[in-house]
């Protein structure tokens, strides 16, 4: 893994960025201060060498205490990605908070300590990054669409679906559901970029792109997204349920497999530092969106060797080549277990820009 630049003491880390009430953690030396609206300030001490996070003031109670502590944990792992685990020292009078952490899997009991935070479990806490973590998993009911049997899908998301502070860029990355009103201009510009058109073959006039985006928004198995760094749109994503997709006949598809296509439309955001943020974050979003999703798949052009190498670097395994009517494709796949247990939300070595779908 490439060395990851660590923000200097005194910088601020933003958590719960996809919610109307984000939480900030600031650092001065080994002292952390967590601030959130409507809650008392939380103070902690981080011993990164020992992998220990200790409360140094009252924790408060209820959801506010858990949110504040979770924000401090995210900041600690973000500033110190070398940490394999984090031991919590909550002091006296925090039994209720400790119980809440264990019940949610934020902390577990290990030989090292009664409360140990493991990154592979912590990064599955959807409430920190997902736009609607309050929604339970959509109930399962099998339906038929165009001769394909699949689970009924939840209603399309609206607004921000995911946001995450990127410590090596020191800015937030966010994904939101695309709309015709806000995003037709972005899509039209990007699809007519010669670099994008060479792979997508979707260049054309404004009305063509209006029909294209409107059709995807209406399609229950597709979710078009706009990605932004610090509020600036730079890319267009399409995520899909693989069971209903054209990819399904070419492999042993499972009900909650998801896949994606991408256009990075702004040249300023094609560098390694950016792809190391948005690609694992896109995977992270799909895995958080439904805990039943065990595999993320893709089908880049087999001849697009750089893109396939980029995906392999990011943890995707190349399964096989196969023929679509319009292209020879490579089937790539990433397992949920590998993403979380190999900590693939962190930058991979030698990552390069992914150009197109």
């Amino acid at each position: 893994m490439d060395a990851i630049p660590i923000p200097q003491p005194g910088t601020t880390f933003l958590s719960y960025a996809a919610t109307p009430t984000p939480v900030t953690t600031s650092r001065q030396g080994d002292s952390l201060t967590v601030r959130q609206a409507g809650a008392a300030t939380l103070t902690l001490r981080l011993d990164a060498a020992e992998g220990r996070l200790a409360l140094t003031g009252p924790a408060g109670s209820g959801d506010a205490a858990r949110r504040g502590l979770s924000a401090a944990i995210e900041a600690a792992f973000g500033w110190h990605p070398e940490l394999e685990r984090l031991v919590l020292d909550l002091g006296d009078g925090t039994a209720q908070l400790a119980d809440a952490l264990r019940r949610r899997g934020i902390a577990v009991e290990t030989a090292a300590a009664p409360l140990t935070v493991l990154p592979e479990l912590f990064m599955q806490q959807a409430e920190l990054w997902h736009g609607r973590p309050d929604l339970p998993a959509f109930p399962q009911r099998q339906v038929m669409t165009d001769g394909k049997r699949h689970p009924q899908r939840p209603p399309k998301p609206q607004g921000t679906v995911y946001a995450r502070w990127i410590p090596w860029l020191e800015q937030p990355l966010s994904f939101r559901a695309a709309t015709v009103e806000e995003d037709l201009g972005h899509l039209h510009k990007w699809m007519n970029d010669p670099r994008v058109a060479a792979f997508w073959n979707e260049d054309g006039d404004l009305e063509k792109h209006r029909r294209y985006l409107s059709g995807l928004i209406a399609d229950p198995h597709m979710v078009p997204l706009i990605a932004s760094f610090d509020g600036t749109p730079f890319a267009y994503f399409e995520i899909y349920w693989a069971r209903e997709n054209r990819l399904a006949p070419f492999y042993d598809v499972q009900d909650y497999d998801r896949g994606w296509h991408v256009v990075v439309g702004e040249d300023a955001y094609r560098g390694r530092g950016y792809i190391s943020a948005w690609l694992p974050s896109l995977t992270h979003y799909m895995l958080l969106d439904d805990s039943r999703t065990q595999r993320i798949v893709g089908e880049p052009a087999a001849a697009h060797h750089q893109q396939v190498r980029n995906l392999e670097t990011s943890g995707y395994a190349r399964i096989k080549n196969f023929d679509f009517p319009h292209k020879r494709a490579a089937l790539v796949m990433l397992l949920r277990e590998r993403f979380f247990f190999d900590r693939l939300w962190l930058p991979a070595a030698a990552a390069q820009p992914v150009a197109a779908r």
Side-chain angles (χ1 to χ4, degrees):
M1 181 184 298
D2 287 351
I4 303 168
I6 304 300
Q8 294 300 307
T11 57
T12 298
F13 198 106
L14 189 69
S15 298
Y16 294 92
T19 73
T21 55
V23 180
T24 59
T25 303
S26 58
R27 180 172 70 168
Q28 293 288 343
D30 59 0
S31 296
L32 305 186
T33 303
V34 180
R35 295 180 175 88
Q36 54 182 318
T41 298
L42 193 66
T43 59
L44 308 98
R45 187 170 302 280
L46 173 64
D47 184 340
E50 295 293 327
R52 183 174 296 272
L53 183 65
L55 279 172
T56 55
S61 61
D63 287 344
R66 177 179 48 76
R67 279 169 55 90
L69 185 58
S70 294
I73 293 169
E74 184 189 6
F77 282 133
W79 282 321
H80 295 279
E82 75 280 2
L83 288 174
E84 296 289 340
R85 59 187 60 209
L86 195 59
V87 170
L88 300 182
D89 181 359
L90 303 185
D92 298 329
T94 57
Q96 187 176 16
L97 176 57
D99 183 61
L101 298 178
R102 290 192 189 97
R103 289 181 179 276
R104 289 174 174 263
I106 296 173
V108 295
E109 185 171 356
T110 67
L115 288 175
T116 303
V117 184
L118 303 176
E120 61 268 27
L121 294 181
F122 183 75
M123 290 299 292
Q124 296 183 65
Q125 301 295 321
E127 71 168 0
L128 279 112
W129 305 282
H130 198 284
R132 288 297 306 273
D134 57 312
L135 294 177
F138 197 74
Q140 190 166 24
R141 170 179 178 256
Q142 293 292 326
V143 296
M144 295 290 290
T145 301
D146 297 329
K148 300 171 183 176
R149 187 173 185 269
H150 62 88
Q152 185 169 340
R153 304 306 182 186
K156 292 293 193 74
Q158 297 180 346
T160 299
V161 300
Y162 177 95
R164 175 185 169 210
W165 180 258
I166 307 299
W168 58 95
L169 298 176
E170 294 193 307
Q171 59 182 301
L173 167 68
S174 63
F175 308 147
R176 60 174 175 80
T179 68
V180 173
E181 294 75 18
E182 288 187 83
D183 303 310
L184 179 59
H186 297 309
L187 186 71
H188 179 61
K189 172 188 172 184
W190 296 339
M191 288 298 189
N192 282 312
D193 183 322
R195 185 187 306 204
V196 173
F199 293 100
W200 278 69
N201 297 312
E202 291 290 351
D203 48 323
D205 61 24
L206 194 66
E207 286 310 307
K208 174 182 177 178
H209 293 141
R210 186 188 305 274
R211 292 191 301 271
Y212 181 90
L213 183 55
S214 298
L216 289 176
I217 291 172
D219 186 336
H221 100 283
M222 300 286 293
V223 179
L225 301 174
I226 296 294
S228 299
F229 276 113
D230 204 15
T232 300
F234 74 94
Y236 167 75
F237 301 150
E238 294 171 359
I239 65 173
Y240 58 84
W241 296 104
R243 173 68 80 179
E244 299 99 279
N245 193 261
R246 65 186 181 186
L247 178 58
F250 295 95
Y251 81 107
D252 184 19
V253 65
Q254 296 178 359
D255 278 350
Y256 294 94
D257 288 355
R258 287 192 107 161
W260 56 273
H261 304 137
V262 60
V263 168
V264 176
E266 300 296 333
D267 288 343
Y269 294 93
R270 296 184 186 274
R272 181 171 61 85
Y274 292 109
I275 189 176
S276 70
W278 68 253
L279 179 53
S281 294
L282 180 60
T283 303
H284 192 208
Y285 166 64
M286 289 185 282
L287 293 171
L288 294 181
D289 193 47
D290 195 314
S291 61
R292 293 167 293 192
T293 295
Q294 300 298 313
R295 304 188 298 186
I296 307 298
V297 294
E299 22 85 352
H304 197 340
H305 303 300
Q306 184 61 64
Q307 185 183 14
V308 174
R309 283 196 297 270
N310 292 335
L311 291 168
E312 289 175 332
T313 298
S314 300
Y316 284 81
R318 183 171 185 159
I319 307 301
K320 65 177 181 179
N321 292 340
F322 66 98
D323 290 315
F324 273 138
H326 66 293
K327 69 176 181 181
R328 185 164 181 79
L331 174 66
V332 298
M333 183 181 295
L334 176 59
L335 301 182
R336 181 187 195 91
E337 184 175 15
R338 184 172 184 207
F339 179 83
F340 287 112
F341 282 79
D342 287 357
R343 306 166 74 196
L344 296 181
W345 59 87
L346 295 172
Q352 297 294 328
V354 172
R357 91 176 160 187

